[in-house]
Amino acid sequence: MKGDYQDLVDEISALLGVPATLENRDFGLIAFGAHDTEDDTAMDPVRTRSIVTRKSTPAVRAWFEGFGIARATGPVRIPAAPDAGVFRGRICLPVRHRGMVLGYVWLLDDSDPGPDTARLATAMEVTARIGDLLAEEVKAGTDLARELRAVLTAGPGWQRETALTALRTALGPGAEGQHVVVCVAPWRDEEPSVRAVPGTAALCTLPRDGLPYGAGVALALLVRLRSPDALAPALAAVARLRGSAGEDTAAGASAPRRGPAQLPEAWHEAVAAARAAVARPRLGPVAQWPSIGPYRLLTALPATPDPAIAPLLTPAHTELAHTAEVFLDCAGQAGRTAAALGIHRQTLYYRLSRIEHLTGLTLTSGEDRLLLHMGLKAARL
């Protein structure tokens, strides 16, 4: 498919004698023609950034959309605007399918009069062929999203088996390869296309309880892996999405799986890992289920705190809760705890006695300490 796009972009470049670039309707780069020149001024920062990062900034998108390209049915001439980083004029050829804009072909051209009407009309015929390809891709992505969502939400039994069969068919020959499931939450944007997220075999938005920050919607990604220990594609996918998702976004990845049969379990792992990433940011930009340690158990606990620990979780006792957590993290060693908190030992002992009084727990009891430690860690989730 990518080769088809490149061939069509090259056809337009050759037809009009100017370099062309193809982007989807979200300004994500799909293909670009070679710009064979030694003149540094022939390029401008907008085109360079689009090629290097494979996307344009929101400001650039707003600038170009201000010329009505999303509504246009024919070529749109856009003048240079150095203040916006647009050093060269453009001709935009909207790519449409059945009246819907699916992308744009950009021509670097500020010559006067530029390509004549007949050649531009022929170029628009080529964009119609591009539109057909993009429409097929959009439909395939929609089908994949539907099938992935069905697999992740279906209960055990024939419904899940039916959904798995449909997903295998939609994924094609790569269905039985190595994959990892990634949860990105909260997700506030539209559902992106598969093309916009490198290495992703399928994706879908998925409402679900228990998501980080109480988010109502998460983005589920099915990311291809070359080997179980090479998670670079998953990291790259999340890095690409963070700009749209926001700074408070958490991401978690399941253990790798071969084939789709265990995808529902993998999704639960990915959600748990994303919750752990909120509790412990040091787990990384993408918390990985095999590496989250005790949070594999803690994420399975009920959301309601244990009655004994609930008094510590009120705003009035934040300091005592922190003291208890540090004390238990330090294996109950008073000297280490006092040093970590920057307080005198006597102050620590006073706080510990208050913690026992509030909770009714005895800190010399191993089981009571386990209950308190688990409750405080679970509260972070």
Side-chain angles (χ1 to χ4, degrees):
M1 187 74 78
K2 183 177 180 181
D4 295 334
Y5 289 127
Q6 189 63 59
D7 291 343
L8 293 171
V9 167
D10 290 342
E11 184 177 338
I12 293 175
S13 295
L15 176 67
L16 300 178
V18 293
T21 302
L22 172 62
E23 295 181 333
N24 62 25
R25 61 186 169 196
D26 297 321
F27 285 60
L29 182 67
I30 297 175
F32 62 93
H35 198 157
D36 188 12
T37 178
E38 295 180 359
D39 182 3
D40 292 339
T41 64
M43 291 285 283
D44 68 12
V46 169
R47 187 173 195 265
T48 300
R49 187 184 190 282
S50 175
I51 292 172
V52 172
T53 67
R54 307 194 71 81
K55 62 181 178 180
S56 296
T57 65
V60 166
R61 176 175 177 172
W63 166 262
F64 285 122
E65 287 181 335
F67 289 89
I69 60 174
R71 300 183 301 275
T73 57
V76 178
R77 292 185 179 273
I78 300 174
D83 291 345
V86 183
F87 293 170
R88 298 283 309 277
R90 302 283 203 286
I91 298 176
C92 176
L93 307 181
V95 178
R96 290 183 172 275
H97 180 81
R98 296 183 178 178
M100 179 180 295
V101 66
L102 298 179
Y104 306 101
V105 172
W106 299 97
L107 310 169
L108 275 184
D109 184 75
D110 47 16
S111 59
D112 189 13
D116 60 41
T117 303
R119 286 193 296 164
L120 284 173
T122 304
M124 286 300 296
E125 293 176 2
V126 180
T127 66
R129 288 150 57 194
I130 295 174
D132 291 341
L133 290 178
L134 284 173
E136 290 177 11
E137 189 171 317
V138 169
K139 183 180 184 303
T142 301
D143 291 345
L144 278 169
R146 183 185 64 246
E147 308 304 355
L148 178 61
R149 187 179 295 110
V151 168
L152 298 185
T153 56
W158 67 268
Q159 288 183 328
R160 179 177 295 182
E161 291 305 316
T162 301
L164 284 169
T165 299
L167 181 61
R168 285 190 177 97
T169 301
L171 289 173
E176 298 304 324
Q178 291 281 352
H179 294 88
V180 67
V181 176
V182 178
C183 169
V184 181
W187 185 256
R188 304 182 182 91
D189 210 344
E190 295 180 358
E191 191 172 274
S193 68
V194 172
R195 172 181 286 279
V197 190
T200 302
L203 58 80
C204 67
T205 51
L206 197 64
R208 191 171 179 86
D209 295 331
L211 292 169
Y213 304 105
V217 176
L219 185 66
L221 308 174
L222 182 63
V223 182
R224 305 182 193 91
L225 300 179
R226 292 184 178 180
S227 64
D229 56 350
L231 288 180
L235 298 177
V238 173
R240 176 65 62 88
L241 291 165
R242 279 195 182 278
S244 301
E247 293 298 322
D248 64 346
T249 302
S254 70
R257 298 294 202 287
R258 180 175 291 280
Q262 293 183 318
L263 289 186
E265 293 80 3
W267 172 243
H268 289 302
E269 293 176 2
V271 170
R275 294 177 63 202
V278 176
R280 277 287 180 261
R282 62 176 174 77
L283 291 172
V286 183
Q288 300 169 30
W289 169 260
S291 304
I292 63 174
Y295 289 98
R296 292 196 294 271
L297 295 176
L298 293 171
T299 51
L301 295 178
T304 304
D306 185 88
I309 299 161
L312 272 184
L313 302 179
T314 61
H317 298 305
T318 300
E319 185 179 61
L320 289 180
H322 179 58
T323 298
E325 186 172 5
V326 174
F327 175 71
L328 295 167
D329 286 345
C330 291
Q333 297 179 24
R336 285 178 56 199
T337 305
L341 293 172
I343 59 176
H344 194 275
R345 280 199 185 201
Q346 288 303 120
T347 303
L348 172 64
Y349 294 141
Y350 170 71
R351 291 184 185 177
L352 294 178
S353 67
R354 291 194 61 202
I355 291 167
E356 289 185 324
H357 177 73
L358 277 170
T359 62
L361 300 175
T362 303
L363 292 180
T364 56
S365 164
E367 290 189 354
D368 283 2
R369 283 162 66 161
L370 177 61
L371 174 61
L372 180 58
H373 209 180
M374 290 178 65
L376 292 171
K377 294 297 184 187
R380 289 182 172 275
L381 300 171

